[in-house]
Amino acid sequence: MTRLTRKLPTLTALQTFESAARLRSFKEAADELGVTPGAVSHQIKALEAQLGQKLFIRQHRGVQLSAQGTELHVTVEAAFNNIAVTVGRIQSSGSDMQVTVGATSAVSSLWLSPAILRFWREHDDTAVNQLVSDTRFTGIDPPELYIRYGRDPRSGLDQRVLYRDTLVPVCAPSLASRLGRLSLQQLAAQRLVHMETDDANWTTWHSWFQTLGHEGPLNTGIRVNNYTIALAAAEDGAGVVLGWKRLVGPLLERGSLAVLGDHSINAPNRFHLISLPEQQLSPAARQLREWLLINL
């Protein structure tokens, strides 16, 4: 056993953690993994003991990730997805009925993964591999399909509009209830969760407020460089985050987040489904692309 593997948690513990983190429920994770809720709880407690950190905040109705849990989930999810891509390529070697689709961690967990599960119910003979990355898919070997906010500036790609979202402030329901309807000036004084990214397409709090005509100062709040972590911070009551309303719809529906007030703007850019040129797409990629365009 290498020095690296001696430091790693067991695969069972990581699989259990990933399922519980994605579903925000020990019971649902147990159902997915085919074990008891007690077994899930035991694995999570052992993992927390090994790391010396609380990964979940236990609540009456499910669980929420702590800051450390969110950080670990982003890494574990990306690692598992990369492993799945490689395994899928090996298993499907020589077969046209496989496709890799890329997305950011937030788009993958909130939107793409549930969509792929629905796709599989109709096309169980097609292997779909997910490549999760919060940087742009600009390498020499990009996935056949990927989802991007805004157009890809490179030429020769097939770029289909999925939808245009609405940008609204979102936060923990308890905070939304306490604050009620705020003026733009009052909202600007709240603790804001700022996203730091080199993606020029990303809409920041500053540009959101400017679009609505507010030129005053903004609360410096907290800064993160990953949208999944930004959403988790808002869920924990750490502040108000700028929410892509349709994208975070699952979090709004299950009550993890709530829209704060009634200020909103249309997102400057649209979400696009981007693919290699038609002649370079496999039959599986064409099948998934058309299904996504119809069903999303």
Side-chain angles (χ1 to χ4, degrees):
M1 183 179 293
T2 66
R3 181 179 300 175
L4 174 62
T5 54
R6 282 200 299 268
K7 294 181 179 179
L8 291 177
T10 66
L11 180 58
T12 299
L14 292 176
Q15 286 177 314
T16 304
F17 167 76
E18 190 281 328
S19 181
R22 173 167 39 83
L23 297 171
R24 300 292 202 276
S25 168
F26 287 3
K27 182 180 183 303
E28 291 184 28
D31 292 341
E32 181 177 83
L33 298 169
V35 298
T36 66
V40 170
S41 180
H42 175 76
Q43 288 290 337
I44 297 301
K45 287 180 179 178
L47 181 59
E48 290 177 328
Q50 180 179 357
L51 299 178
Q53 298 285 346
K54 286 291 185 183
L55 301 175
F56 291 94
I57 301 170
R58 277 70 170 177
Q59 298 179 331
H60 177 63
R61 306 175 79 178
V63 292
Q64 295 294 338
L65 286 166
S66 67
Q68 293 82 3
T70 299
E71 183 179 2
L72 181 62
H73 183 223
V74 170
T75 299
V76 170
E77 183 180 49
F80 279 3
N81 275 287
N82 288 335
I83 292 171
V85 168
T86 301
V87 170
R89 285 173 177 167
I90 294 172
Q91 290 177 330
S92 305
S93 180
S95 170
D96 285 336
M97 296 314 291
Q98 65 159 330
V99 55
T100 298
V101 56
T104 64
S105 54
V107 170
S108 177
S109 62
L110 294 173
W111 181 31
L112 184 58
S113 292
I116 288 175
L117 289 176
R118 299 198 306 272
F119 171 80
W120 273 334
R121 294 190 188 106
E122 301 176 24
H123 306 282
D124 58 3
D125 59 336
T126 301
V128 181
N129 307 310
Q130 286 194 70
L131 182 61
V132 179
S133 175
D134 288 316
T135 58
R136 301 170 191 167
F137 295 102
T138 56
I140 59 174
D141 187 25
E144 287 187 276
L145 305 174
Y146 57 96
I147 295 170
R148 189 178 193 272
Y149 176 62
R151 289 182 59 85
D152 193 310
R154 293 173 295 176
S155 61
L157 297 171
D158 186 290
Q159 309 203 39
R160 310 285 184 96
V161 173
L162 289 172
Y163 68 89
R164 186 176 189 175
D165 215 331
T166 302
L167 297 173
V168 295
V170 296
C171 61
S174 58
L175 181 59
S177 178
R178 178 167 60 84
L179 294 176
R181 297 179 64 181
L182 301 176
S183 67
L184 285 174
Q185 184 175 0
Q186 290 171 325
L187 177 59
Q190 301 302 313
R191 184 163 56 184
L192 304 176
V193 182
H194 295 270
M195 265 285 295
E196 294 187 335
T197 175
D198 60 358
D199 188 347
N201 285 326
W202 193 263
T203 302
T204 65
W205 272 122
H206 287 280
S207 58
W208 186 85
F209 274 101
Q210 287 175 356
T211 301
L212 289 171
H214 177 78
E215 300 290 344
L218 304 183
N219 188 302
T220 56
I222 59 176
R223 299 182 179 276
V224 299
N225 63 356
N226 180 283
Y227 193 53
T228 301
I229 294 176
L231 293 174
E235 288 182 67
D236 290 343
V240 184
V241 69
L242 193 55
W244 271 247
K245 190 174 182 180
R246 181 170 173 179
L247 177 62
V248 303
L251 300 179
L252 297 174
E253 290 172 7
R254 68 180 180 227
S256 299
L257 289 174
V259 176
L260 176 60
D262 53 9
H263 301 292
S264 68
I265 68 169
N266 289 327
N269 295 291
R270 294 167 171 82
F271 281 95
H272 289 73
L273 179 60
I274 301 174
S275 69
L276 300 177
E278 184 76 21
Q279 64 273 19
Q280 297 181 28
L281 289 180
S282 67
R286 294 191 189 97
Q287 182 187 64
L288 178 59
R289 182 186 64 181
E290 298 311 311
W291 188 92
L292 289 172
L293 290 171
I294 293 172
N295 290 277
L296 290 182

